[in-house]
Amino acid sequence: MSLPFLLQLLLAGVAVLGCAQFAASHHESGDWHCEPDDEAQIEAQFRPGLVTLDGHADDWDAVDGFEFPLRPALDPDEDKEYEAGKMTIKVLHDGRDVYFMLQVDGDYVYSKGDDHKCPSVALMFQVGESATYHNMGGCKESPKTCNSTSCRGYEVDIMHFSIGNSIPGRLYGGNSINGEGKANRVGLVDMYSWNPHCRNIDSSGPSGNDSVALNDWKGAWWHSSFSTHSGYVEDDSPYGSSGHEGTYYFEFSRPLRTMDRLQQDTQFTIGQPSKFSAAFWYPADGNPWHGSAHYTISCDWIPLDVTSGFSTRVVSGSSWDAASGFALLLSFVAFCVSIFVGYLVSRSKAVPFTPIDRL
């Protein structure tokens, strides 16, 4: 049986080198079991102009967060959870783009040029109606027979971000072009999959390349232990002191709709739910992580609702409370004034009426 969600995503470094297809023979050691939280869900609120894509979480304070325990993808037992804490996910949209903020506690570790000795995250979305969370789409075809025809309907969309070659606070991804005329995907790659052994970078695959299927994701990262917000350059690496306690922040955006014509990207629709999940890798005890040793927020899809208007839920301590209270008070005062004015008018004497023909 093939590995579950995002298994063997060791392709982060390989993808940067431009490999088009990945295959590996890995198998689960036992029977797969899953007890998902049926009440777990994420709401993408309509909050235009609120955040800047820079990896900082300050501008997300007024957005509701959803906490998820991180459990091993291969053995999602409660007693094997990620010890440093849960992952908080915040999502919003502005009618054009959707934004994600992932927050997870962890001591700062960074090894320049080695993605596997740095934390890493990934997002996965259902594209095909038959695509399952388990087995990254669940198509039964082998690496030699899987293609857009034999696995039609089993597509999942994957975004993977490795920070080993990424400067904190800087933007990565997108359809940018480097000096060689190739898409610049350093650190952040956009992929699609039919199963763990049939994965491809967007714009490549068994059917060849396509210029309209490039990377629409953009992302940045940060750690709360950093002493400056003014920005870093590559020469500042490792950017902070190893072992400092704090929180990692991973911020991403992508258009709600893309130019995809090959069933490689999920297409978000306002007012309709999508199916979603997230994964996290961490180099514990100084040891590099490997593809199957990742944590996920659930052992099944999580509903992601893209709302059509501003959220009606109140965020504790936010400016919404003060603004709403002031508006209510102003309305009450206006109502009282109108009653008082009406009372004065009714008490005043009638004004004599003079026909215009007598003037």
Side-chain angles (χ1 to χ4, degrees), residues 99-343:
Y99 297 82
F100 293 81
M101 169 59 75
L102 278 57
Q103 303 175 194
V104 57
D105 291 341
D107 293 349
Y108 178 66
V109 290
Y110 186 84
S111 181
K112 182 179 178 180
D114 192 342
D115 287 330
H116 300 121
K117 289 187 177 181
C118 304
S120 180
V121 295
L123 305 178
M124 185 171 80
F125 305 87
Q126 183 191 51
V127 179
E129 294 183 0
S130 300
T132 60
Y133 164 90
H134 185 225
N135 286 333
M136 293 173 64
C139 181
K140 302 299 184 182
E141 299 292 329
S142 69
K144 294 183 178 180
T145 59
C146 61
N147 55 54
S148 58
T149 300
S150 63
C151 289
R152 177 67 182 275
Y154 290 90
E155 302 85 355
V156 295
D157 185 11
I158 302 171
M159 186 284 304
H160 187 233
F161 188 35
S162 298
I163 67 174
N165 290 288
S166 303
I167 303 170
R170 303 299 180 180
L171 202 58
Y172 292 90
N175 289 331
S176 57
I177 303 298
N178 63 22
E180 299 177 356
K182 298 179 180 179
N184 181 4
R185 300 188 170 116
V186 174
L188 193 156
V189 291
D190 189 1
M191 301 172 288
Y192 66 99
S193 168
W194 296 302
N195 64 46
H197 307 295
C198 296
R199 292 168 306 208
N200 299 283
I201 299 292
D202 275 22
S203 79
S204 65
S207 59
N209 299 329
D210 190 280
S211 60
V212 300
L214 295 176
N215 184 4
D216 289 291
W217 284 97
K218 297 177 182 178
W221 70 280
W222 196 259
H223 191 267
S224 61
S225 68
F226 295 155
S227 59
T228 177
H229 276 205
S230 60
Y232 290 102
V233 296
E234 189 173 1
D235 290 342
D236 294 325
S237 176
Y239 312 112
S241 299
S242 180
H244 274 197
E245 294 182 356
T247 302
Y248 279 95
Y249 301 101
F250 302 92
E251 189 175 22
F252 307 102
S253 74
R254 204 214 73 175
L256 292 169
R257 313 289 292 187
T258 72
M259 295 290 288
D260 172 44
R261 299 195 300 267
L262 304 176
Q263 198 84 334
Q264 297 175 359
D265 291 339
T266 186
Q267 302 299 325
F268 299 103
T269 301
I270 296 175
Q272 295 184 11
S274 300
K275 293 184 177 180
F276 156 82
S277 193
F280 178 64
W281 289 257
Y282 188 80
D285 302 321
N287 299 316
W289 54 259
H290 57 278
S292 61
H294 61 285
Y295 301 91
T296 59
I297 61 173
S298 177
C299 60
D300 204 349
W301 294 118
I302 297 291
L304 170 61
D305 295 322
V306 182
T307 63
S308 57
F310 286 96
S311 174
T312 57
R313 289 185 295 177
V314 177
V315 181
S316 178
S318 71
S319 59
W320 188 94
D321 298 324
S324 299
F326 179 76
L328 181 61
L329 177 62
L330 186 62
S331 299
F332 178 74
V333 171
F335 177 70
C336 293
V337 170
S338 65
I339 294 178
F340 180 69
V341 171
Y343 172 75

Side-chain angles (χ1 to χ4, degrees), residues 6-88:
L6 298 182
L7 184 56
Q8 292 303 316
L9 268 174
L10 291 170
L11 52 85
V14 180
V16 171
L17 297 177
C19 291
Q21 190 169 4
F22 309 89
S25 57
H26 297 279
H27 301 276
E28 293 171 346
S29 58
D31 293 333
W32 170 250
H33 63 282
C34 175
E35 297 179 2
D37 182 358
D38 294 334
E39 297 182 356
Q41 66 176 10
I42 298 177
E43 179 183 289
Q45 304 172 20
F46 176 62
R47 306 292 292 272
L50 187 65
V51 301
T52 300
L53 200 64
D54 55 8
H56 298 298
D58 301 1
D59 45 3
W60 287 85
D61 288 345
V63 179
D64 289 330
F66 303 82
E67 286 190 340
F68 298 93
L70 289 169
R71 298 173 182 172
L74 300 188
D75 189 9
D77 290 335
E78 185 176 353
D79 59 350
K80 297 180 180 179
E81 287 183 9
Y82 175 66
E83 295 181 354
K86 298 180 179 180
M87 176 181 282
T88 299

